[in-house]
Amino acid sequence: MEQISKKEKTLEIARILNELYPETPIPLEHKSPYTLLVAVLLSAQCTDARVNLITPILFGRADNPFDMIKLSIDEIKDIIRPCGLSPAKSKAIYNLSQILIDKYSGEVPESFEALEELPGVGHKTASVVMSQAFGHPAFPVDTHIHRLAHRWGLSNGKNVTQTEKDLKRLFPKETWNKLHLQIIYFGREYCPARNHNFLECPICSRFGRKSLFK
């Protein structure tokens, strides 16, 4: 495998991703910051494809916090059950909707701190909303991006928090919002967790840690 500096590797990975994914549509269907927030919350331990099957049903009933709190937690739970973790997610959706009404006049706050104070909203979810709904530079790192960053030798982070810091240091801030989506798309198409073909992967075949692919 060729010897290459981390800076050169980073530039080449960015080039490959830009070539493969010049456009990066947001995977979760939504029509407002609120519907994106709810969709991201639902995506925890659930595929985007399944979330996109469920959200039209939920948002057909309530696509804003005022309508959402007219539903009971049990009604929300029944709708979102296929997404998994429905007891916790339904309570979070209802409670955050009430908070948005009480504190923010029904609007989603454009702030990391305010978002992370909402029920069921962690740093990753807040980062997705800040980047995809409001256009602020953010680098949401989920377990898939964490896995690929390790495979490609871009981070030795033991958790997503450290991996996020490493990736932010390596890539220019103006690329973060697009790049995290490009990595997600690449992982699904070329670099899955299981049954991964190291030799055919456009990135792993050049820069991957071969010891991880026995």
Side-chain angles (χ1 to χ4, degrees), residues 18 43 47 56 70 81 92-94 123 127 165 179 191 207:
N18 280 321
S43 70
T47 64
K70 293 177 184 176
R81 195 180 305 277
I93 291 169
Y94 184 92
H123 179 66
S127 295
K165 291 178 182 177
L179 184 63
C191 208
F207 309 123

Side-chain angles (χ1 to χ4, degrees), residues 55-121:
T55 48
I57 302 170
L58 179 63
F59 297 150
R61 297 282 303 277
D63 63 358
N64 62 79
F66 298 97
D67 288 334
M68 192 65 76
I69 64 167
K70 293 177 184 176
L71 302 177
S72 68
I73 291 175
D74 282 340
E75 286 178 299
I76 298 170
K77 182 170 66 175
D78 287 342
I79 295 171
I80 68 171
R81 195 180 305 277
C83 293
L85 305 177
S86 59
K89 290 178 180 178
S90 58
K91 288 179 185 176
I93 291 169
Y94 184 92
N95 291 333
L96 73 79
S97 298
Q98 187 67 65
I99 292 171
L100 292 180
I101 293 169
D102 294 342
K103 291 186 66 174
Y104 304 104
S105 302
E107 298 295 323
V108 175
E110 197 170 334
S111 155
F112 280 101
E113 293 76 18
L115 285 168
E116 290 180 33
E117 288 177 354
L118 296 172
V121 178

Side-chain angles (χ1 to χ4, degrees), residues 3-80:
Q3 293 297 312
I4 186 170
S5 71
K6 184 168 282 191
K7 182 177 180 180
E8 291 172 317
K9 180 197 291 187
T10 301
L11 290 172
E12 183 62 10
I13 287 173
R15 185 197 67 75
I16 292 169
L17 292 172
N18 280 321
E19 185 176 286
L20 290 172
Y21 305 104
E23 302 296 329
T24 51
I26 296 171
L28 291 168
E29 295 174 8
H30 67 285
K31 55 184 178 181
S32 68
Y34 176 76
T35 54
L36 178 62
L37 174 62
V38 173
V40 178
L41 192 154
L42 289 174
S43 70
Q45 297 186 39
C46 181
T47 64
D48 291 346
R50 176 164 292 182
V51 172
N52 287 338
L53 291 175
I54 300 305
T55 48
I57 302 170
L58 179 63
F59 297 150
R61 297 282 303 277
D63 63 358
N64 62 79
F66 298 97
D67 288 334
M68 192 65 76
I69 64 167
K70 293 177 184 176
L71 302 177
S72 68
I73 291 175
D74 282 340
E75 286 178 299
I76 298 170
K77 182 170 66 175
D78 287 342
I79 295 171
I80 68 171

